[in-house]
């Protein structure tokens, strides 16, 4: 079993009303210094068996046809995340670091 | 001959009954069409009504576009079948690429519900022939994801080809590009708009008119336009 992440963002030229609202709320809660927020979508697709080139091509196609609407959104990332490794570069380690969900099924199941 | 106009119901559709009622008040037979049935029941035209098909999951209209009824509908629309998409129905028409562009959240993020003035920019479509070009009408508007967006090239093309069917007048309620409230395809048989003509078809239940409260019936001509066109070609 492997998980494939699909990351979709509003196109840069499209105004992102949700991101704008979140950005406006941050200073009200005392989170200063954040110049802009844009809000996207993250999909986690769990597949049976190995992630072959064919499987990945299929997921990319799904990302571009169903998971995103090319008129308003870009697929910015399609990434394979295998069980036990998040492949997100660096493991945080700072105070308050919590494992990201992609750290694997064990974490999710507690 | 009585024209038969189909009204599609998806899970989460809300305005199918009002749309059917509008069809009947305009003088046609309303034929219920079910999302999971590819059979269009030999109807002469189709209305995709408003609501929140599939809960607006993923994007408004994104899941509905894959319903079995849509496969048949897309082919029929390419063949010239008059199709009207209202609100969520408009969103479905963009997701299935019968109309260009897309809808995103309203600029101000609020759900809007109001009587809205529109200008009829194209009175030659299957759904607007009973209006005059430039005529202003008032119909209810109610949406959260109503901001029409498309790239500049597409917007310029829509303008140049006269395919902006309706524009917001007085106030742009959702930040739509160039005040666009509704558009049509090249052939003029497919029309989509965010406001709700089916809610302005009978005195007592419509928006306020100049004369008195709740008497506005400006939406009725959408349906009489389609019926007249169908009878003329029969």
């Amino acid at each position: 079993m492997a998980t494939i992440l699909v990351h979709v963002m509003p196109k840069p030229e499209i105004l992102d009303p949700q991101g704008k609202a979140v950005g406006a709320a941050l200073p009200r809660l005392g989170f200063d210094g954040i110049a802009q927020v844009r809000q996207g979508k993250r999909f986690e697709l769990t597949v049976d068996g190995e992630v072959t080139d064919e499987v990945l091509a299929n997921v990319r196609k799904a990302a571009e046809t169903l998971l995103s609407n090319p008129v308003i959104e870009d697929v910015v990332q399609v990434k394979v995340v295998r069980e036990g490794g998040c492949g997100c570069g660096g493991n945080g380690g700072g105070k308050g670091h919590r494992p990201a969900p992609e750290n694997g099924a064990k974490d999710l199941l507690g | 001959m009585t024209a038969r106009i189909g009204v599609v119901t998806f899970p989460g559709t809300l305005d199918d009954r009002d749309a059917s009622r509008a069809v009947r008040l305009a003088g046609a037979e309303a034929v219920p069409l079910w999302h999971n049935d590819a059979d269009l029941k030999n109807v002469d035209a189709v209305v995709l009504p408003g609501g929140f098909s599939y809960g607006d999951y993923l994007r408004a209209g994104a899941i509905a576009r894959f319903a079995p009824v849509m496969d048949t509908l897309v082919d029929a629309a390419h063949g010239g079948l008059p199709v009207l998409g209202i609100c969520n129905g408009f969103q479905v028409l963009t997701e299935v690429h019968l109309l260009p562009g897309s809808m995103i959240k309203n600029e101000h993020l609020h759900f809007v519900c109001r009587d809205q003035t529109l200008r009829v920019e194209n009175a030659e479509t299957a759904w607007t022939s009973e209006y005059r070009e430039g005529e202003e009408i008032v119909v209810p508007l109610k949406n959260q994801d109503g901001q029409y967006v498309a790239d500049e090239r597409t917007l310029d093309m829509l303008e140049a080809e006269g395919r902006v069917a309706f524009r917001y007048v007085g106030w742009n309620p959702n930040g739509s590009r160039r005040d666009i409230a509704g558009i049509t395809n090249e052939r003029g048989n497919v029309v989509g708009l965010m406001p709700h003509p089916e809610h302005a078809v009978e005195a007592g239940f419509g928006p306020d008119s100049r004369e008195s409260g709740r008497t506005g019936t400006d939406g009725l001509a959408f349906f009489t336009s389609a019926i007249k066109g169908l009878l003329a070609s029969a």
Side-chain angles (χ1 to χ4, degrees):
Chain A
M1 298 265 276
T3 301
I4 304 172
L5 298 185
V6 176
H7 185 185
V8 174
M9 287 298 288
K11 279 188 185 295
E13 66 270 25
I14 298 266
L15 174 80
D16 169 22
Q18 290 183 101
K20 205 172 129 194
V22 173
L26 286 169
R28 287 206 295 274
L29 295 173
F31 299 107
D32 293 320
I34 296 163
Q36 198 195 15
V37 178
R38 292 182 72 75
Q39 181 180 326
K41 290 175 187 163
R42 166 189 163 131
F43 300 87
E44 300 181 359
L45 283 65
T46 303
V47 295
D48 291 325
E50 261 187 82
V51 181
T52 59
D53 286 350
E54 196 189 343
V55 169
L56 208 52
N58 209 28
V59 167
R60 283 211 178 88
K61 199 176 165 202
E64 276 152 25
T65 50
L66 175 62
L67 303 183
S68 71
N69 177 345
V71 176
I72 50 174
E73 295 166 321
D74 290 325
V75 178
V76 293
Q77 195 179 37
V78 176
K79 185 172 75 168
V80 183
V81 179
R82 294 187 189 284
E83 190 183 11
C86 86
C88 37
N91 52 12
K95 215 175 172 185
H97 170 74
R98 292 167 58 199
E102 66 262 39
N103 273 13
K106 277 178 194 134
D107 290 321
L108 290 173
L109 295 171
Chain B
M1 167 202 167
T2 306
R4 299 173 74 247
I5 301 183
V7 177
V8 177
T9 301
F10 298 101
T13 295
L14 299 177
D15 296 322
D16 42 348
R17 289 183 178 216
D18 277 35
S20 298
R21 201 161 151 277
V23 164
R24 286 192 296 271
L25 284 167
E29 181 191 345
V31 180
L33 299 176
W34 184 238
H35 69 103
N36 206 18
D37 187 351
D39 183 8
L40 291 183
K41 313 247 172 80
N42 266 323
V43 292
D44 306 306
V46 169
V47 178
L48 295 177
F52 296 87
S53 59
Y54 301 89
D56 271 358
Y57 291 173
L58 191 59
R59 297 176 304 276
I63 312 283
R65 108 172 231 205
F66 294 99
V69 73
M70 289 306 296
D71 293 337
T72 331
L73 183 62
V74 168
D75 287 343
H78 285 310
L81 184 83
V83 177
L84 174 67
I86 303 167
C87 198
N88 193 224
F90 183 18
Q91 292 159 339
V92 174
L93 289 177
T94 61
E95 283 284 344
V96 81
H97 309 308
L98 280 175
L99 293 174
S102 185
M103 257 66 64
I104 63 171
K105 289 226 177 304
N106 293 346
E107 194 174 35
H108 46 66
L109 289 168
H110 298 289
F111 187 95
V112 182
C113 182
R114 71 195 301 264
D115 295 342
Q116 175 70 44
T117 304
L118 309 176
R119 187 168 56 244
V120 180
E121 301 280 22
N122 180 339
E124 287 170 10
T125 78
W127 299 91
T128 58
S129 58
E130 291 290 283
Y131 293 106
R132 293 182 316 277
E133 192 184 314
E135 185 176 347
E136 292 192 1
I137 63 172
V138 178
V139 297
L141 170 89
K142 42 168 196 173
N143 65 63
Q144 168 98 46
D145 289 8
Q147 181 180 174
Y148 181 75
V149 295
D151 59 46
E152 286 299 311
R153 201 172 52 85
T154 304
L155 293 169
D156 287 342
M157 173 200 68
L158 289 172
E159 302 271 10
E161 294 178 3
R163 289 172 53 190
V164 176
F166 304 94
R167 240 184 272 268
Y168 297 114
V169 175
W171 185 54
N172 181 336
N174 42 35
S176 289
R177 298 290 173 282
R178 306 192 192 183
D179 299 333
I180 290 172
I183 56 174
T184 178
N185 66 347
E186 222 170 346
R187 194 166 170 172
N189 62 309
V190 180
V191 171
L193 80 166
M194 284 313 292
H196 288 262
E198 83 283 17
H199 294 328
V201 293
E202 187 179 12
F205 303 94
D208 294 345
S209 68
R210 277 187 200 87
E211 291 74 36
S212 60
R214 305 238 160 266
T215 55
T217 57
D218 287 355
L220 194 61
F222 275 78
F223 305 95
T224 53
S225 295
I227 293 166
K228 198 168 175 189
L230 291 169
L231 296 180
S233 62

